[in-house]
Amino acid sequence: MSTARAALLLVLVGCGSSKQDAAPAGASCLPATVADTGAGLVAVDGAKVTACWGGICLHLDREGKVIGPAQMPATAPPQVQQDQYIGKTVARRDPGGQWSLEDPATGAKVPVGAPGMRLEVYPPGVVITYQGKKLHLADAKARKETGDFTLGSPIAGIVPLYDRLLIVLEKPAGTAQLDPASATLYQGPELPRCR
């Protein structure tokens, strides 16, 4: 076989394999390359959750199971992390990036998570700090950390859904659910991969 024909064959084989990695329009699956390397994001509108990995978006149910294809949601610009009042407790970040739950009356502080983590607050007083694969759960009213978890993939985003928090994971793509009342983490169902 000539060098030109061999090169043409390699190009054709390469094109065929990239088409296999592309998700069909309106598909409810993730190509392997996107599932393993695509950045994730998540948005919630009422009971409808939209999760995206590498620009491919899917609607998820409350357990994280795919129920159909979705459009890319309009996302709000990232918010600067500021101190937050949660009832009689203040979630405060020190200059080194460490979050603490503080009693303003006494000045007593309880650190939550590790320096540099992102903080999220969900009613009635659930506090989450996370970064990479690490997640810390705290109770603002009791001013104490109630859970420390390591997930299988980095956390792309967390959204409240009914009485749980749905966690969207990236690289590889997946989901988990956190029940703040019992401080229990549940692995989500496997996301479908395109074939």
Side-chain angles (χ1 to χ4, degrees), residues 108-186:
K109 296 180 186 180
V110 175
V112 179
M117 289 188 146
R118 179 169 181 76
L119 177 114
E120 302 284 346
V121 177
Y122 303 99
V126 175
V127 176
I128 301 284
T129 57
Y130 66 95
Q131 182 177 37
K133 297 179 181 182
K134 295 295 288 179
L135 182 143
H136 299 268
L137 173 65
D139 181 332
K141 185 176 181 183
R143 292 186 199 96
K144 70 177 186 176
E145 195 167 297
T146 56
D148 179 12
F149 306 95
T150 301
L151 290 96
S153 302
I155 300 166
I158 302 172
V159 293
L161 195 61
Y162 302 104
D163 57 343
R164 291 189 179 176
L165 299 174
L166 179 67
I167 303 165
V168 171
L169 306 170
E170 61 183 14
K171 301 174 189 175
T175 63
Q177 303 94 42
L178 178 62
D179 179 357
S182 65
T184 304
L185 183 71
Y186 300 94

Side-chain angles (χ1 to χ4, degrees), residues 26-133:
S28 296
C29 61
L30 292 173
T33 54
V34 171
D36 294 338
T37 62
L41 69 89
V42 61
V44 66
D45 179 18
K48 186 184 283 187
V49 175
T50 302
C52 303
W53 294 272
I56 296 174
C57 300
L58 304 170
H59 282 302
L60 306 178
D61 66 12
R62 71 179 283 171
E63 280 79 36
K65 184 178 176 187
V66 173
I67 54 177
Q71 297 295 316
M72 179 71 73
T75 57
Q79 299 289 323
V80 174
Q81 295 271 280
Q82 299 178 14
D83 296 353
Q84 296 185 40
Y85 284 84
I86 313 157
K88 295 181 179 181
T89 300
V90 179
R92 193 178 307 275
R93 185 169 60 181
D94 69 19
Q98 175 64 56
W99 286 100
S100 295
L101 298 178
E102 181 180 328
D103 180 345
T106 66
K109 296 180 186 180
V110 175
V112 179
M117 289 188 146
R118 179 169 181 76
L119 177 114
E120 302 284 346
V121 177
Y122 303 99
V126 175
V127 176
I128 301 284
T129 57
Y130 66 95
Q131 182 177 37
K133 297 179 181 182

